[in-house]
Structures are given as structure tokens and as C-alpha cells.
Amino acid sequence: LSCLIGVTLGIVSATRQYSAFDYLSMLGSLIGVSMPVFWLGLVLILIFALGLGWFPVSGRLSIGTDLEVITKFYVIDAIITKNWRALFDALHHLALPALALSTIPMAIVARMTRSSMLEVLRQDYIKTARAKGLSETKVVFKHALRNGLIPVITVIGLQFGILLGGAILTETVFAWPGV
């Protein structure tokens, strides 16, 4: 979640520098980096579980949902046993914890992608590709993104340790049994 959304936000922000989207996504990234995961989890529970009632407050499955446990990963178990009701229920319970846990890495990846892409988009070979008449999409995704993702992949690897630390807090807030 953090890689997919973070890289997408970074690319769009870099290609539309100084636009309203750029400013809003970078402001959101700043807030995402600054916000502790346990506090964000509590805010998500308050708004989306208690206030709007869209998501469950805690747990991994609703009471009364039958699921044959094989791997103890409920999403995988539901897919293996083809229990689509349990799969939907497990994903429904997973949405808020996944969002809370992915926010900090997502913000860091978005900022790093934007920075790296802006640097690459100013290179001479990008100007040459544009001068040759390549479409902007091809220039961005074929030429710029390949070189722009090198430092981003390094940062994504370093975020793995932060995810493990954040997972402990997220599990506590959402009342999940620990990893």
C-alpha cells in the first residue's frame, strides 16, 4: 500500500510541480511523516469505526464468521478455502490497520520519489528524449522512472524495520494478536 500510493503520488507531484496537487500531496506527506502510528490508528477508529460505522473497531474477523484456519493469516486462509464471505470480512477488518501502518512509509516514499524524479527530469538525456519527439508519458515512465526509482527502492528497503516497529503499536491499537 505504501509503495503503490507513495510512488504514484511522487510521480504525479514531480510531473506537475508547483500545482495544487503537488502542494496538497506534499502537505499530506509532511503530516503523514509527523503523525505517530498509534495516534493515527486511534483517529481512524474514532472517525471511520465509531463515527461513521464503516469499519469494525477491532479484531480480525467478525463474531460468527466461519473460517478453517490453516496458516493463521485469515486472508490467505479464506482464499485457500474459497470462503469469500470470510475473505471480505478479513479484508474489512484489515483496512484501517493497513492504512494506519502504511501512512508513514507512504509519506516517506512519496517525498523521496518526488525528489528523485525532479532531479532526473532535469537531466540532459530527458531533454534529448523530449527533443526526439517522445510522448511525455514515455519520457516519464520509460526513461525518468527507471533512474528515479533507484534511491526510492533503497528507502523502501530501509522502511521495513520501521514497519515492524509500527506493527507492534498498530496491533495494540486495533486489538490484534501479536506477530
Side-chain angles (χ1 to χ4, degrees):
L1 199 61
S2 64
C3 294
L4 181 70
I5 296 172
V7 169
T8 304
L9 284 176
I11 291 170
V12 175
S13 291
T15 56
R16 298 176 185 187
Q17 189 180 15
Y18 304 122
S19 68
F21 181 85
D22 180 33
Y23 288 123
L24 287 174
S25 66
M26 289 304 106
L27 176 66
S29 294
L30 179 65
I31 292 169
V33 168
S34 305
M35 191 176 315
V37 69
F38 66 88
W39 187 81
L40 177 61
L42 292 172
V43 169
L44 290 174
I45 289 172
L46 185 66
I47 294 172
F48 294 106
L50 298 176
L52 297 172
W54 292 352
F55 294 98
V57 175
S58 64
R60 294 174 61 193
L61 280 177
S62 298
I63 296 173
T65 302
D66 264 348
L67 179 62
E68 182 184 343
V69 178
I70 300 166
T71 65
K72 295 187 181 178
F73 293 108
Y74 289 175
V75 172
I76 296 171
D77 291 342
I79 292 171
I80 291 171
T81 60
K82 297 181 182 173
N83 186 343
W84 308 123
R85 182 175 173 269
L87 175 65
F88 176 75
D89 192 50
L91 289 172
H92 195 237
H93 279 79
L94 184 62
L96 290 181
L99 181 63
L101 187 58
S102 69
T103 301
I104 293 172
M106 180 189 323
I108 292 170
V109 167
R111 294 181 68 83
M112 188 67 189
T113 304
R114 179 185 182 271
S115 170
S116 180
M117 286 294 291
L118 284 174
E119 183 180 334
V120 169
L121 287 170
R122 293 186 181 111
Q123 298 294 321
D124 288 338
Y125 69 93
I126 297 295
K127 292 175 186 169
T128 304
R130 286 183 177 135
K132 287 177 15 179
L134 293 177
S135 67
E136 189 65 20
T137 304
K138 200 168 208 175
V139 168
V140 169
F141 288 102
K142 186 171 182 186
H143 296 286
L145 188 59
R146 283 184 182 176
N147 294 314
L149 281 182
I150 294 170
V152 175
I153 291 171
T154 304
V155 168
I156 289 170
L158 294 172
Q159 292 301 314
F160 185 72
I162 293 172
L163 281 175
L164 291 177
I168 295 168
L169 297 171
T170 305
E171 289 168 354
T172 303
V173 169
F174 289 96
W176 278 40
V179 174

